[in-house]
mmCIF file of all heavy atoms in Angstrom:
data_model
loop_
_atom_site.group_PDB
_atom_site.id
_atom_site.type_symbol
_atom_site.label_atom_id
_atom_site.label_comp_id
_atom_site.label_asym_id
_atom_site.label_seq_id
_atom_site.Cartn_x
_atom_site.Cartn_y
_atom_site.Cartn_z
ATOM 1 N N GLY A 220 88.053 80.688 107.771
ATOM 2 C CA GLY A 220 88.896 79.892 106.900
ATOM 3 C C GLY A 220 89.657 80.670 105.846
ATOM 4 O O GLY A 220 90.253 80.073 104.950
ATOM 5 N N LYS A 221 89.652 81.982 105.935
ATOM 6 C CA LYS A 221 90.370 82.819 104.974
ATOM 7 C C LYS A 221 91.611 83.432 105.634
ATOM 8 O O LYS A 221 91.636 83.628 106.843
ATOM 9 C CB LYS A 221 89.482 83.968 104.470
ATOM 10 C CG LYS A 221 88.111 83.571 103.951
ATOM 11 C CD LYS A 221 88.153 82.809 102.689
ATOM 12 C CE LYS A 221 86.781 82.690 102.043
ATOM 13 N NZ LYS A 221 85.757 82.114 102.933
ATOM 14 N N ALA A 222 92.588 83.743 104.840
ATOM 15 C CA ALA A 222 93.738 84.496 105.330
ATOM 16 C C ALA A 222 93.342 85.960 105.422
ATOM 17 O O ALA A 222 92.851 86.550 104.443
ATOM 18 C CB ALA A 222 94.928 84.337 104.396
ATOM 19 N N ILE A 223 93.536 86.544 106.602
ATOM 20 C CA ILE A 223 93.164 87.932 106.830
ATOM 21 C C ILE A 223 94.356 88.690 107.378
ATOM 22 O O ILE A 223 95.317 88.094 107.860
ATOM 23 C CB ILE A 223 91.980 88.051 107.816
ATOM 24 C CG1 ILE A 223 92.342 87.467 109.173
ATOM 25 C CG2 ILE A 223 90.731 87.388 107.241
ATOM 26 C CD1 ILE A 223 91.276 87.685 110.246
ATOM 27 N N GLY A 224 94.275 90.005 107.295
ATOM 28 C CA GLY A 224 95.387 90.785 107.811
ATOM 29 C C GLY A 224 95.035 92.232 108.023
ATOM 30 O O GLY A 224 94.031 92.735 107.492
ATOM 31 N N TRP A 225 95.843 92.875 108.842
ATOM 32 C CA TRP A 225 95.794 94.322 109.049
ATOM 33 C C TRP A 225 97.089 94.916 108.505
ATOM 34 O O TRP A 225 98.181 94.438 108.836
ATOM 35 C CB TRP A 225 95.651 94.659 110.518
ATOM 36 C CG TRP A 225 94.288 94.409 111.078
ATOM 37 C CD1 TRP A 225 93.853 93.288 111.720
ATOM 38 C CD2 TRP A 225 93.170 95.306 111.034
ATOM 39 N NE1 TRP A 225 92.537 93.423 112.072
ATOM 40 C CE2 TRP A 225 92.100 94.663 111.666
ATOM 41 C CE3 TRP A 225 92.975 96.595 110.526
ATOM 42 C CZ2 TRP A 225 90.845 95.258 111.807
ATOM 43 C CZ3 TRP A 225 91.734 97.184 110.658
ATOM 44 C CH2 TRP A 225 90.689 96.522 111.294
ATOM 45 N N TYR A 226 96.934 95.926 107.695
ATOM 46 C CA TYR A 226 98.062 96.645 107.128
ATOM 47 C C TYR A 226 97.983 98.104 107.595
ATOM 48 O O TYR A 226 96.930 98.566 108.030
ATOM 49 C CB TYR A 226 98.011 96.624 105.598
ATOM 50 C CG TYR A 226 98.276 95.284 104.973
ATOM 51 C CD1 TYR A 226 97.348 94.257 105.053
ATOM 52 C CD2 TYR A 226 99.458 95.044 104.275
ATOM 53 C CE1 TYR A 226 97.585 93.023 104.473
ATOM 54 C CE2 TYR A 226 99.709 93.814 103.678
ATOM 55 C CZ TYR A 226 98.764 92.813 103.781
ATOM 56 O OH TYR A 226 99.016 91.595 103.197
ATOM 57 N N ARG A 227 99.096 98.792 107.465
ATOM 58 C CA ARG A 227 99.064 100.226 107.749
ATOM 59 C C ARG A 227 99.933 100.964 106.754
ATOM 60 O O ARG A 227 100.885 100.400 106.198
ATOM 61 C CB ARG A 227 99.533 100.523 109.177
ATOM 62 C CG ARG A 227 100.999 100.280 109.440
ATOM 63 C CD ARG A 227 101.321 100.509 110.904
ATOM 64 N NE ARG A 227 102.737 100.290 111.191
ATOM 65 C CZ ARG A 227 103.237 100.250 112.425
ATOM 66 N NH1 ARG A 227 102.426 100.401 113.480
ATOM 67 N NH2 ARG A 227 104.524 100.068 112.598
ATOM 68 N N GLN A 228 99.588 102.210 106.570
ATOM 69 C CA GLN A 228 100.411 103.077 105.740
ATOM 70 C C GLN A 228 100.708 104.338 106.537
ATOM 71 O O GLN A 228 99.811 105.149 106.812
ATOM 72 C CB GLN A 228 99.713 103.417 104.426
ATOM 73 C CG GLN A 228 100.617 104.155 103.453
ATOM 74 C CD GLN A 228 100.153 104.033 102.010
ATOM 75 O OE1 GLN A 228 99.017 103.649 101.741
ATOM 76 N NE2 GLN A 228 101.040 104.354 101.071
ATOM 77 N N ARG A 229 101.961 104.450 106.933
ATOM 78 C CA ARG A 229 102.400 105.624 107.673
ATOM 79 C C ARG A 229 102.744 106.729 106.697
ATOM 80 O O ARG A 229 103.042 106.466 105.531
ATOM 81 C CB ARG A 229 103.595 105.260 108.552
ATOM 82 C CG ARG A 229 103.246 104.252 109.629
ATOM 83 C CD ARG A 229 104.414 103.965 110.537
ATOM 84 N NE ARG A 229 105.428 103.155 109.879
ATOM 85 C CZ ARG A 229 106.606 102.861 110.424
ATOM 86 N NH1 ARG A 229 106.911 103.314 111.622
ATOM 87 N NH2 ARG A 229 107.462 102.116 109.772
ATOM 88 N N PRO A 230 102.699 107.984 107.138
ATOM 89 C CA PRO A 230 102.990 109.110 106.236
ATOM 90 C C PRO A 230 104.338 108.951 105.547
ATOM 91 O O PRO A 230 105.356 108.715 106.203
ATOM 92 C CB PRO A 230 102.985 110.309 107.193
ATOM 93 C CG PRO A 230 102.089 109.907 108.310
ATOM 94 C CD PRO A 230 102.321 108.439 108.488
ATOM 95 N N GLY A 231 104.323 109.016 104.238
ATOM 96 C CA GLY A 231 105.554 108.932 103.460
ATOM 97 C C GLY A 231 106.130 107.538 103.319
ATOM 98 O O GLY A 231 107.230 107.369 102.789
ATOM 99 N N LYS A 232 105.383 106.526 103.794
ATOM 100 C CA LYS A 232 105.888 105.150 103.766
ATOM 101 C C LYS A 232 104.980 104.270 102.914
ATOM 102 O O LYS A 232 103.837 104.612 102.623
ATOM 103 C CB LYS A 232 105.944 104.574 105.190
ATOM 104 C CG LYS A 232 106.767 105.371 106.172
ATOM 105 C CD LYS A 232 108.241 105.243 105.911
ATOM 106 C CE LYS A 232 109.045 105.904 107.025
ATOM 107 N NZ LYS A 232 110.509 105.770 106.790
ATOM 108 N N GLN A 233 105.510 103.113 102.541
ATOM 109 C CA GLN A 233 104.697 102.142 101.824
ATOM 110 C C GLN A 233 103.794 101.391 102.797
ATOM 111 O O GLN A 233 104.091 101.298 103.995
ATOM 112 C CB GLN A 233 105.607 101.148 101.090
ATOM 113 C CG GLN A 233 106.317 101.742 99.884
ATOM 114 C CD GLN A 233 107.033 100.686 99.066
ATOM 115 O OE1 GLN A 233 107.465 99.670 99.587
ATOM 116 N NE2 GLN A 233 107.159 100.921 97.774
ATOM 117 N N ARG A 234 102.724 100.858 102.275
ATOM 118 C CA ARG A 234 101.828 100.049 103.091
ATOM 119 C C ARG A 234 102.582 98.800 103.552
ATOM 120 O O ARG A 234 103.302 98.169 102.779
ATOM 121 C CB ARG A 234 100.591 99.662 102.286
ATOM 122 C CG ARG A 234 99.459 99.103 103.100
ATOM 123 C CD ARG A 234 98.210 98.908 102.273
ATOM 124 N NE ARG A 234 97.674 100.156 101.768
ATOM 125 C CZ ARG A 234 96.479 100.255 101.179
ATOM 126 N NH1 ARG A 234 95.719 99.175 101.019
ATOM 127 N NH2 ARG A 234 96.057 101.425 100.736
ATOM 128 N N GLU A 235 102.394 98.436 104.814
ATOM 129 C CA GLU A 235 103.081 97.274 105.374
ATOM 130 C C GLU A 235 102.114 96.402 106.154
ATOM 131 O O GLU A 235 101.138 96.893 106.732
ATOM 132 C CB GLU A 235 104.221 97.722 106.303
ATOM 133 C CG GLU A 235 103.788 98.535 107.500
ATOM 134 C CD GLU A 235 104.949 99.048 108.340
ATOM 135 O OE1 GLU A 235 106.100 98.625 108.119
ATOM 136 O OE2 GLU A 235 104.701 99.878 109.238
ATOM 137 N N LEU A 236 102.425 95.115 106.175
ATOM 138 C CA LEU A 236 101.621 94.176 106.950
ATOM 139 C C LEU A 236 101.968 94.314 108.426
ATOM 140 O O LEU A 236 103.117 94.175 108.813
ATOM 141 C CB LEU A 236 101.887 92.742 106.487
ATOM 142 C CG LEU A 236 101.181 91.642 107.270
ATOM 143 C CD1 LEU A 236 99.671 91.739 107.117
ATOM 144 C CD2 LEU A 236 101.677 90.265 106.820
ATOM 145 N N VAL A 237 100.963 94.560 109.223
ATOM 146 C CA VAL A 237 101.145 94.689 110.666
ATOM 147 C C VAL A 237 100.868 93.359 111.363
ATOM 148 O O VAL A 237 101.636 92.915 112.221
ATOM 149 C CB VAL A 237 100.208 95.770 111.237
ATOM 150 C CG1 VAL A 237 100.296 95.825 112.752
ATOM 151 C CG2 VAL A 237 100.538 97.128 110.623
ATOM 152 N N ALA A 238 99.785 92.718 110.987
ATOM 153 C CA ALA A 238 99.396 91.462 111.615
ATOM 154 C C ALA A 238 98.615 90.640 110.618
ATOM 155 O O ALA A 238 97.695 91.153 109.982
ATOM 156 C CB ALA A 238 98.550 91.730 112.858
ATOM 157 N N GLY A 239 98.975 89.374 110.509
ATOM 158 C CA GLY A 239 98.283 88.468 109.608
ATOM 159 C C GLY A 239 97.808 87.245 110.360
ATOM 160 O O GLY A 239 98.445 86.810 111.327
ATOM 161 N N LEU A 240 96.695 86.715 109.909
ATOM 162 C CA LEU A 240 96.135 85.493 110.496
ATOM 163 C C LEU A 240 95.854 84.551 109.339
ATOM 164 O O LEU A 240 95.050 84.863 108.456
ATOM 165 C CB LEU A 240 94.850 85.819 111.255
ATOM 166 C CG LEU A 240 94.247 84.738 112.138
ATOM 167 C CD1 LEU A 240 95.207 84.359 113.255
ATOM 168 C CD2 LEU A 240 92.932 85.222 112.725
ATOM 169 N N SER A 241 96.552 83.405 109.324
ATOM 170 C CA SER A 241 96.428 82.487 108.195
ATOM 171 C C SER A 241 95.089 81.759 108.238
ATOM 172 O O SER A 241 94.321 81.869 109.202
ATOM 173 C CB SER A 241 97.584 81.486 108.221
ATOM 174 O OG SER A 241 97.432 80.599 109.314
ATOM 175 N N ARG A 242 94.850 80.956 107.213
ATOM 176 C CA ARG A 242 93.589 80.214 107.129
ATOM 177 C C ARG A 242 93.436 79.270 108.321
ATOM 178 O O ARG A 242 92.322 78.997 108.755
ATOM 179 C CB ARG A 242 93.529 79.450 105.824
ATOM 180 C CG ARG A 242 93.354 80.339 104.600
ATOM 181 C CD ARG A 242 93.301 79.531 103.331
ATOM 182 N NE ARG A 242 94.568 78.870 103.057
ATOM 183 C CZ ARG A 242 94.777 78.039 102.050
ATOM 184 N NH1 ARG A 242 93.777 77.752 101.218
ATOM 185 N NH2 ARG A 242 95.955 77.493 101.853
ATOM 186 N N ASP A 243 94.576 78.782 108.833
ATOM 187 C CA ASP A 243 94.486 77.892 109.992
ATOM 188 C C ASP A 243 94.891 78.603 111.280
ATOM 189 O O ASP A 243 95.386 77.981 112.225
ATOM 190 C CB ASP A 243 95.318 76.628 109.771
ATOM 191 C CG ASP A 243 96.750 76.938 109.365
ATOM 192 O OD1 ASP A 243 97.080 78.129 109.216
ATOM 193 O OD2 ASP A 243 97.535 75.997 109.199
ATOM 194 N N ASP A 244 94.726 79.933 111.283
ATOM 195 C CA ASP A 244 94.850 80.766 112.484
ATOM 196 C C ASP A 244 96.270 80.888 113.043
ATOM 197 O O ASP A 244 96.448 81.120 114.253
ATOM 198 C CB ASP A 244 93.880 80.306 113.578
ATOM 199 C CG ASP A 244 92.437 80.676 113.245
ATOM 200 O OD1 ASP A 244 92.240 81.517 112.351
ATOM 201 O OD2 ASP A 244 91.523 80.117 113.860
ATOM 202 N N ASN A 245 97.256 80.739 112.201
ATOM 203 C CA ASN A 245 98.614 81.084 112.622
ATOM 204 C C ASN A 245 98.795 82.592 112.493
ATOM 205 O O ASN A 245 98.397 83.195 111.488
ATOM 206 C CB ASN A 245 99.654 80.365 111.761
ATOM 207 C CG ASN A 245 99.697 78.887 112.068
ATOM 208 O OD1 ASN A 245 99.710 78.482 113.223
ATOM 209 N ND2 ASN A 245 99.713 78.066 111.034
ATOM 210 N N ILE A 246 99.403 83.194 113.512
ATOM 211 C CA ILE A 246 99.559 84.650 113.575
ATOM 212 C C ILE A 246 100.960 85.055 113.153
ATOM 213 O O ILE A 246 101.946 84.436 113.553
ATOM 214 C CB ILE A 246 99.266 85.168 114.998
ATOM 215 C CG1 ILE A 246 97.797 84.927 115.361
ATOM 216 C CG2 ILE A 246 99.592 86.652 115.097
ATOM 217 C CD1 ILE A 246 97.463 85.297 116.803
ATOM 218 N N ASN A 247 101.024 86.098 112.365
ATOM 219 C CA ASN A 247 102.289 86.684 111.949
ATOM 220 C C ASN A 247 102.243 88.167 112.276
ATOM 221 O O ASN A 247 101.312 88.868 111.873
ATOM 222 C CB ASN A 247 102.479 86.491 110.435
ATOM 223 C CG ASN A 247 103.749 87.133 109.916
ATOM 224 O OD1 ASN A 247 104.777 87.095 110.583
ATOM 225 N ND2 ASN A 247 103.679 87.738 108.747
ATOM 226 N N LEU A 248 103.212 88.646 113.033
ATOM 227 C CA LEU A 248 103.240 90.043 113.467
ATOM 228 C C LEU A 248 104.510 90.742 113.003
ATOM 229 O O LEU A 248 105.595 90.164 113.024
ATOM 230 C CB LEU A 248 103.162 90.136 114.991
ATOM 231 C CG LEU A 248 101.873 89.669 115.656
ATOM 232 C CD1 LEU A 248 102.051 89.610 117.166
ATOM 233 C CD2 LEU A 248 100.721 90.597 115.297
ATOM 234 N N LEU A 249 104.350 92.009 112.640
ATOM 235 C CA LEU A 249 105.499 92.860 112.358
ATOM 236 C C LEU A 249 106.353 92.943 113.617
ATOM 237 O O LEU A 249 105.814 93.044 114.729
ATOM 238 C CB LEU A 249 104.991 94.241 111.965
ATOM 239 C CG LEU A 249 105.978 95.302 111.505
ATOM 240 C CD1 LEU A 249 106.594 94.915 110.177
ATOM 241 C CD2 LEU A 249 105.275 96.648 111.391
ATOM 242 N N ASP A 250 107.660 92.883 113.466
ATOM 243 C CA ASP A 250 108.542 92.855 114.634
ATOM 244 C C ASP A 250 108.274 94.015 115.588
ATOM 245 O O ASP A 250 108.272 93.838 116.812
ATOM 246 C CB ASP A 250 110.004 92.882 114.192
ATOM 247 C CG ASP A 250 110.497 91.528 113.705
ATOM 248 O OD1 ASP A 250 109.772 90.525 113.898
ATOM 249 O OD2 ASP A 250 111.597 91.478 113.123
ATOM 250 N N SER A 251 108.029 95.186 115.046
ATOM 251 C CA SER A 251 107.899 96.365 115.896
ATOM 252 C C SER A 251 106.605 96.382 116.711
ATOM 253 O O SER A 251 106.459 97.220 117.606
ATOM 254 C CB SER A 251 107.991 97.638 115.051
ATOM 255 O OG SER A 251 106.940 97.693 114.107
ATOM 256 N N VAL A 252 105.677 95.489 116.424
ATOM 257 C CA VAL A 252 104.426 95.464 117.183
ATOM 258 C C VAL A 252 104.287 94.201 118.033
ATOM 259 O O VAL A 252 103.290 94.048 118.751
ATOM 260 C CB VAL A 252 103.193 95.609 116.254
ATOM 261 C CG1 VAL A 252 103.331 96.832 115.364
ATOM 262 C CG2 VAL A 252 102.927 94.359 115.446
ATOM 263 N N LYS A 253 105.254 93.315 117.959
ATOM 264 C CA LYS A 253 105.184 92.089 118.764
ATOM 265 C C LYS A 253 105.138 92.443 120.238
ATOM 266 O O LYS A 253 105.881 93.305 120.720
ATOM 267 C CB LYS A 253 106.387 91.196 118.459
ATOM 268 C CG LYS A 253 106.297 90.504 117.112
ATOM 269 C CD LYS A 253 107.509 89.623 116.831
ATOM 270 C CE LYS A 253 107.369 88.937 115.477
ATOM 271 N NZ LYS A 253 108.578 88.138 115.138
ATOM 272 N N GLY A 254 104.239 91.769 120.950
ATOM 273 C CA GLY A 254 104.072 92.043 122.365
ATOM 274 C C GLY A 254 103.118 93.185 122.648
ATOM 275 O O GLY A 254 102.770 93.433 123.811
ATOM 276 N N ARG A 255 102.703 93.903 121.600
ATOM 277 C CA ARG A 255 101.786 95.042 121.784
ATOM 278 C C ARG A 255 100.474 94.865 121.028
ATOM 279 O O ARG A 255 99.424 95.292 121.511
ATOM 280 C CB ARG A 255 102.468 96.337 121.314
ATOM 281 C CG ARG A 255 103.761 96.657 122.044
ATOM 282 C CD ARG A 255 104.269 98.054 121.701
ATOM 283 N NE ARG A 255 104.603 98.185 120.282
ATOM 284 C CZ ARG A 255 104.065 99.105 119.483
ATOM 285 N NH1 ARG A 255 103.148 99.938 119.934
ATOM 286 N NH2 ARG A 255 104.434 99.181 118.203
ATOM 287 N N PHE A 256 100.528 94.292 119.841
ATOM 288 C CA PHE A 256 99.332 94.133 119.001
ATOM 289 C C PHE A 256 98.960 92.666 118.897
ATOM 290 O O PHE A 256 99.824 91.784 118.955
ATOM 291 C CB PHE A 256 99.609 94.636 117.575
ATOM 292 C CG PHE A 256 99.788 96.119 117.421
ATOM 293 C CD1 PHE A 256 99.979 96.971 118.492
ATOM 294 C CD2 PHE A 256 99.784 96.671 116.138
ATOM 295 C CE1 PHE A 256 100.155 98.324 118.322
ATOM 296 C CE2 PHE A 256 99.955 98.024 115.946
ATOM 297 C CZ PHE A 256 100.142 98.853 117.043
ATOM 298 N N THR A 257 97.682 92.414 118.691
ATOM 299 C CA THR A 257 97.251 91.066 118.379
ATOM 300 C C THR A 257 96.065 91.117 117.425
ATOM 301 O O THR A 257 95.282 92.062 117.448
ATOM 302 C CB THR A 257 96.906 90.275 119.648
ATOM 303 O OG1 THR A 257 96.712 88.891 119.313
ATOM 304 C CG2 THR A 257 95.641 90.799 120.307
ATOM 305 N N ILE A 258 95.957 90.104 116.603
ATOM 306 C CA ILE A 258 94.896 90.004 115.609
ATOM 307 C C ILE A 258 93.989 88.837 115.973
ATOM 308 O O ILE A 258 94.454 87.813 116.497
ATOM 309 C CB ILE A 258 95.488 89.824 114.195
ATOM 310 C CG1 ILE A 258 94.387 89.787 113.125
ATOM 311 C CG2 ILE A 258 96.363 88.583 114.115
ATOM 312 C CD1 ILE A 258 94.923 89.773 111.689
ATOM 313 N N SER A 259 92.706 88.999 115.705
ATOM 314 C CA SER A 259 91.765 87.918 115.956
ATOM 315 C C SER A 259 90.585 88.049 115.003
ATOM 316 O O SER A 259 90.425 89.067 114.322
ATOM 317 C CB SER A 259 91.290 87.953 117.408
ATOM 318 O OG SER A 259 90.611 89.169 117.681
ATOM 319 N N ARG A 260 89.797 87.005 114.979
ATOM 320 C CA ARG A 260 88.570 87.062 114.196
ATOM 321 C C ARG A 260 87.441 86.423 114.986
ATOM 322 O O ARG A 260 87.673 85.527 115.796
ATOM 323 C CB ARG A 260 88.737 86.369 112.842
ATOM 324 C CG ARG A 260 88.708 84.849 112.878
ATOM 325 C CD ARG A 260 88.743 84.263 111.477
ATOM 326 N NE ARG A 260 90.039 83.670 111.219
ATOM 327 C CZ ARG A 260 90.578 83.525 110.012
ATOM 328 N NH1 ARG A 260 89.924 83.969 108.945
ATOM 329 N NH2 ARG A 260 91.745 82.966 109.865
ATOM 330 N N ASP A 261 86.239 86.907 114.751
ATOM 331 C CA ASP A 261 85.029 86.348 115.359
ATOM 332 C C ASP A 261 84.173 85.860 114.203
ATOM 333 O O ASP A 261 83.573 86.676 113.490
ATOM 334 C CB ASP A 261 84.319 87.417 116.178
ATOM 335 C CG ASP A 261 83.099 86.878 116.918
ATOM 336 O OD1 ASP A 261 82.428 85.965 116.389
ATOM 337 O OD2 ASP A 261 82.806 87.387 118.002
ATOM 338 N N ASN A 262 84.138 84.560 114.022
ATOM 339 C CA ASN A 262 83.399 84.018 112.882
ATOM 340 C C ASN A 262 81.899 84.262 112.995
ATOM 341 O O ASN A 262 81.220 84.485 111.989
ATOM 342 C CB ASN A 262 83.687 82.528 112.725
ATOM 343 C CG ASN A 262 85.113 82.252 112.299
ATOM 344 O OD1 ASN A 262 85.728 83.057 111.596
ATOM 345 N ND2 ASN A 262 85.664 81.133 112.739
ATOM 346 N N ALA A 263 81.382 84.236 114.209
ATOM 347 C CA ALA A 263 79.943 84.457 114.397
ATOM 348 C C ALA A 263 79.554 85.883 113.982
ATOM 349 O O ALA A 263 78.482 86.097 113.410
ATOM 350 C CB ALA A 263 79.553 84.189 115.837
#
């Protein structure tokens, strides 16, 4: 039930959101990783 996310910081760059999962499990992906990355959670 929490908003979670994966961020990354590339060399010389600012930290950016790569994949987010909202409290109601809506997924938001960085354009450059769409079709390649996915985020999930295992509550158990």
Side-chain angles (χ1 to χ4, degrees):
K221 309 291 192 305
I223 61 174
W225 286 94
Y226 290 72
R227 69 184 180 189
Q228 188 158 16
R229 296 183 287 174
K232 303 288 188 179
Q233 288 189 331
R234 193 173 296 190
E235 61 184 350
L236 176 64
V237 175
L240 191 62
S241 70
R242 289 180 294 176
D243 52 358
D244 287 345
N245 289 314
I246 295 175
N247 177 38
L248 294 171
L249 185 67
D250 282 349
S251 62
V252 307
K253 286 180 179 176
R255 301 189 297 123
F256 291 13
T257 190
I258 183 173
S259 62
R260 77 174 108 206
D261 184 327
N262 292 329

